């Protein structure tokens, strides 16, 4: 999938994931290029979030390997995995904020607890990141429960940006956000790639964003990769799965499921 000039940031090979008898992912083999934005798409219950959680070290795959910068993050101790993933920022689909911490403490959690930043500087950093996701400074002292779902999403993005990670794992980064804020978020991601050489691997259900904001794309269907390539190649791909999903067509090989798998 990657061009000859793209280094590989994240490599997944032969990955399988099952929960008991339920097989969720089947022989996933993909390479995520460094310093690019790569998007993972797929219908509901196709295994997208499970795959992202495997990369984030939350799930240990049933079989297969994941390498970050050439180093394995599967088949090792939790402590070693945490060390290797220390420079990874994760945005969960529901935000994943700490309920007992204020907004600014959530955003600055890693700078304070991992990097040793003092609280005054950390609060200033948090307020700066809030402004970048179109939230006022007055938001800083609120608790997550006092925010709307869209605001919580933006705080989650601000938290990822505050730690300046080399790898960003983003599950639905702009879901529920207005078009202006959505554009602002993607420009922030572009700036992170340019300034700190970050790599973005995201899940999205926004097909317009998938087309316009990313460099490469993978598509999952029923736990397997059914298409991969440059976003610029979608329309001439000839792949019925990706064309049905990206164009929102009712007819095609993807059948609607009434009950989604977690």
């Amino acid at each position: 999938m990657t061009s000859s000039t793209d280094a590989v940031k994240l490599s997944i090979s032969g990955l399988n994931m099952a929960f008991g008898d339920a097989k969720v992912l089947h022989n996933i083999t993909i390479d995520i290029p460094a310093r690019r934005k790569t998007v993972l798409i797929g219908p509901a219950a196709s295994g997208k979030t499970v795959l992202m959680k495997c990369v984030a070290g939350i799930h240990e795959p049933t079989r297969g390997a994941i390498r970050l910068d050439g180093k394995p993050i599967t088949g090792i101790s939790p402590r070693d995995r945490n060390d290797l993933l220390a420079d990874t920022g994760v945005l969960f689909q529901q935000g994943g904020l700490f309920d007992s911490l204020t907004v600014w403490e959530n955003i600055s959690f890693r700078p304070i607890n991992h990097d040793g930043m003092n609280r005054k500087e950390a609060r200033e950093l948090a307020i700066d990141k809030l402004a970048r996701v179109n939230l006022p400074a007055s938001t800083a002292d609120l608790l997550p429960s006092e925010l709307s779902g869209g605001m919580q999403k933006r705080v989650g993005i601000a938290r990822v940006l505050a730690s300046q990670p080399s790898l960003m794992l983003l599950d639905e980064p702009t879901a529920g956000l207005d078009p202006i804020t959505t554009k602002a978020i993607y420009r922030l991601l572009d700036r992170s790639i340019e300034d700190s050489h970050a790599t973005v691997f995201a899940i999205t259900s926004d097909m317009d964003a998938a087309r316009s904001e990313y460099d490469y794309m993978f598509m999952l269907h029923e736990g397997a990769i059914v298409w991969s390539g440059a976003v610029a190649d979608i329309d001439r791909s000839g792949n019925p799965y990706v064309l049905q999903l990206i164009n929102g067509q009712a007819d095609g090989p993807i059948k609607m499921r009434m009950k989604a798998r977690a």
Side-chain angles (χ1 to χ4, degrees):
M1 182 204 73
T2 61
S3 73
S4 58
T5 59
D6 286 329
V8 174
K9 179 69 175 180
L10 183 70
S11 181
I12 302 172
S13 58
L15 188 143
N16 289 262
M17 186 69 209
F19 298 99
D21 294 332
K23 297 180 180 179
V24 181
L25 298 173
H26 312 279
N27 198 33
I28 305 297
T29 298
I30 59 177
D31 287 337
I32 306 300
R35 304 180 188 181
R36 302 281 186 167
K37 288 185 295 184
T38 298
V39 65
L40 180 66
I41 67 170
S46 57
K48 302 184 297 295
T49 295
V50 172
L51 176 56
M52 190 70 78
K53 287 182 176 180
C54 288
V55 174
I58 297 171
H59 295 322
E60 178 73 15
T62 308
R63 187 169 70 250
I66 303 174
R67 291 180 176 272
L68 178 61
D69 292 324
K71 299 177 181 178
I73 60 173
T74 49
I76 61 176
S77 71
R79 181 174 181 175
D80 288 343
R81 183 182 300 112
N82 288 339
D83 287 343
L84 288 172
L85 291 172
D87 199 23
T88 298
V90 182
L91 174 70
F92 297 100
Q93 189 170 349
Q94 302 302 324
L97 303 178
F98 299 113
D99 294 338
S100 60
L101 299 181
T102 62
V103 164
W104 80 262
E105 289 171 324
N106 265 283
I107 293 171
S108 301
F109 187 85
R110 174 170 172 167
I112 291 173
N113 294 282
H114 185 271
D115 302 330
M117 182 179 290
N118 68 60
R119 290 177 66 82
K120 180 180 178 181
E121 290 179 347
R123 191 174 189 279
E124 291 173 353
L125 172 67
I127 290 173
D128 174 70
K129 299 306 178 186
L130 284 171
R132 293 175 185 270
V133 295
N134 293 340
L135 287 174
S138 58
T139 310
D141 294 313
L142 299 178
L143 292 171
S145 60
E146 299 176 275
L147 306 178
S148 68
M151 293 171 74
Q152 290 185 27
K153 176 73 73 173
R154 282 183 275 173
V155 171
I157 293 169
R159 180 170 64 182
V160 171
L161 294 171
S163 62
Q164 296 183 312
S166 66
L167 174 64
M168 300 184 190
L169 304 176
L170 311 175
D171 195 346
E172 298 287 1
T174 57
L177 302 184
D178 63 84
I180 294 173
T181 303
T182 293
K183 278 291 183 183
I185 295 302
Y186 281 115
R187 297 296 74 79
L188 284 172
L189 296 179
D190 288 338
R191 190 179 308 165
S192 294
I193 292 170
E194 182 177 346
D195 293 346
S196 56
H197 308 301
T199 297
V200 174
F201 182 34
I203 295 169
T204 189
S205 298
D206 182 345
M207 294 301 103
D208 289 336
R211 275 185 175 275
S212 63
E213 300 293 348
Y214 293 89
D215 303 300
Y216 295 106
M217 177 184 291
F218 292 100
M219 181 175 172
L220 266 178
H221 179 57
E222 295 186 348
I225 297 292
V226 294
W227 189 80
S228 65
V231 169
D233 294 337
I234 289 171
D235 289 326
R236 55 178 177 268
S237 69
N239 185 286
Y241 292 94
V242 71
L243 291 174
Q244 181 187 355
L245 187 64
I246 206 80
N247 294 315
Q249 299 168 342
D251 296 328
I254 303 171
K255 306 304 178 185
M256 180 69 73
R257 289 188 182 185
M258 299 304 294
K259 185 177 181 180
R261 183 170 57 223

